[in-house]
Amino acid sequence: MDFYTQGSRIIVEDTSNFVLSHILESGQVFRYTSLPNCYQLITKNLICILKSEAKRVIIESNNNNYFIKYFDLHNNYTHIKEELAKFSLMRDAISYGYGIRILGQWELEVIISFIISSNNNIGRIQKIIENICASLGKDMGGWHAFPTLEQLSEADTDFFVKAGAGYRAPFLVKAIADINNGALKDIDKDTTELARASLMQLAGIGRKVADCILLFAYGRHEVFPVDTWLDKAYCHLIGKEGRTRAEMSAELEGIFGKYAGYAQQYLFYFYRKTYKNMEDE
DNA sequence: TTCCAGGGATATA
DNA sequence: TATATCCATGGA
């Protein structure tokens, strides 16, 4: 094992598969803040402080077990990268974002966050989520928990508009009401295909947002969300044009199989950070 | 001023 | 089923 616990800390000793900037800046999570020498991360009703030291990372919280699962610490990323590196198109992306991991986040938080994410940019997404948490989430003393389903249910369209969600505000209200009525209660037992279909029944959730939710919250690591960056990268990677995003997603899931979600994260991080350089070539 | 952001809903044919 | 257009908002 590459980590151990020590009181309120998790010590990650092998940083060849764990780099905070790679994990947090790969677009899968929004409630983190860069502070001098560390990051502060809030998820659900928990907070942790993340510090990079020489050859180790320290995760400080009051719930080690939660964050061991959250950071996917029992998974073998050396093996995942070896499997993905068999595809030549993956090699640059893996060396660039070698410390990426796929987080195991709270379902409701990911659903709300990614409804907000549609046709939006990461900075604004973060701001809108913080506005919602500050108004609805429990005051934890200097920070706010992500609101519960009950707390979210009390908010109306006008509230989400004021939070900055724009035209997505009515989607949020409808989706929250449907979740409250049990729309997603059995999807843990469903096949990924059925789970995706259930998610896409909710307002504001299409194929891409559903795939992000499946990958980042439901542990369906075989899905490959295609967003605007993967859309741009697809022709460069695969050499085909004229595909819809759903077609690209299905094809890439076929290529990478049970590692498709990981492949997608390495590629997203690489192409989003370096796309301008690619255009200059 | 125009374009873009981890897209989706809706109208139209 | 497939394509076109609209949707708030703010930064580049």
Side-chain angles (χ1 to χ4, degrees):
Chain A
M1 208 57 64
D2 300 327
F3 71 95
Y4 61 93
T5 60
Q6 189 180 74
S8 62
R9 296 173 156 195
I10 304 165
I11 316 290
V12 180
E13 286 195 300
D14 182 359
T15 56
S16 64
N17 300 309
F18 194 112
V19 175
L20 292 172
S21 57
H22 297 177
I23 296 167
L24 298 175
E25 290 167 21
S26 59
Q28 58 184 315
V29 61
F30 301 103
R31 297 197 72 193
Y32 66 91
T33 316
S34 184
L35 301 173
N37 306 321
C38 67
Y39 289 96
Q40 172 187 278
L41 171 70
I42 300 171
T43 175
K44 202 170 181 180
N45 58 350
L46 298 169
I47 190 167
C48 66
I49 298 295
L50 305 164
K51 288 182 188 168
S52 292
E53 294 185 350
K55 297 188 175 179
R56 66 176 195 172
V57 175
I58 298 172
I59 302 165
E60 181 142 19
S61 75
N62 61 4
N63 195 330
N64 285 344
N65 288 335
Y66 186 91
F67 285 103
I68 287 170
K69 275 192 179 175
Y70 183 89
F71 283 104
D72 201 20
L73 291 182
H74 287 298
N75 203 349
N76 184 347
Y77 281 77
T78 299
H79 175 69
I80 291 165
K81 288 188 284 187
E82 281 170 2
E83 290 298 312
L84 287 176
K86 293 175 181 172
F87 301 93
S88 57
L89 63 91
M90 287 299 306
R91 287 173 196 156
D92 288 344
I94 292 172
S95 5
Y96 185 76
Y98 63 90
I100 283 175
R101 307 182 79 85
I102 295 188
L103 300 174
Q105 304 183 65
W106 185 31
E107 294 88 341
L108 181 62
E109 183 166 356
V110 175
I111 291 166
I112 301 303
S113 299
F114 277 89
I115 290 174
I116 294 166
S117 80
S118 71
N119 195 26
N120 211 339
N121 61 65
I122 292 177
R124 281 198 71 241
I125 298 164
Q126 291 176 321
K127 193 170 289 183
I128 295 163
I129 293 170
E130 278 318 303
N131 290 342
I132 292 169
C133 293
S135 298
L136 295 181
K138 183 178 178 185
D139 186 347
M140 307 297 282
W143 58 280
H144 289 262
F146 196 90
T148 63
L149 183 56
E150 291 68 29
Q151 290 167 328
L152 288 166
S153 301
E154 292 171 11
D156 58 11
T157 301
D158 188 53
F159 168 83
F160 289 115
V161 169
K162 285 193 168 68
Y167 64 88
R168 308 166 194 84
F171 299 161
L172 290 167
V173 173
K174 282 185 198 170
I176 290 162
D178 284 347
I179 296 169
N180 226 348
N181 289 328
L184 303 178
K185 61 179 164 52
D186 291 326
I187 75 171
D188 276 319
K189 304 169 198 161
D190 285 335
T191 64
T192 294
E193 196 175 344
L194 283 173
R196 176 186 281 142
S198 295
L199 285 165
M200 289 175 66
Q201 293 294 310
L202 298 181
I205 302 185
R207 167 73 186 243
K208 187 270 172 182
V209 169
D211 285 351
C212 284
I213 296 165
L214 290 168
L215 179 58
F216 302 138
Y218 287 95
R220 309 296 177 112
H221 292 168
E222 72 278 23
V223 305
F224 194 113
V226 175
D227 75 318
T228 178
W229 297 104
L230 267 299
D231 190 345
K232 289 171 188 168
Y234 176 83
C235 185
H236 179 261
L237 291 167
I238 306 295
K240 297 180 189 170
E241 294 182 6
R243 299 293 192 276
T244 67
R245 290 190 183 183
E247 287 167 345
M248 297 180 204
S249 175
E251 178 169 6
L252 291 159
E253 287 174 1
I255 292 173
F256 296 113
K258 64 180 178 178
Y259 300 113
Y262 304 96
Q264 188 274 161
Q265 272 314 90
Y266 292 115
L267 292 169
F268 174 85
Y269 184 69
F270 179 66
Y271 277 93
R272 179 167 176 266
K273 292 271 188 181
T274 65
Y275 197 76
K276 282 194 166 59
N277 298 336
M278 301 292 301
E279 281 180 326
D280 293 340
E281 285 178 6

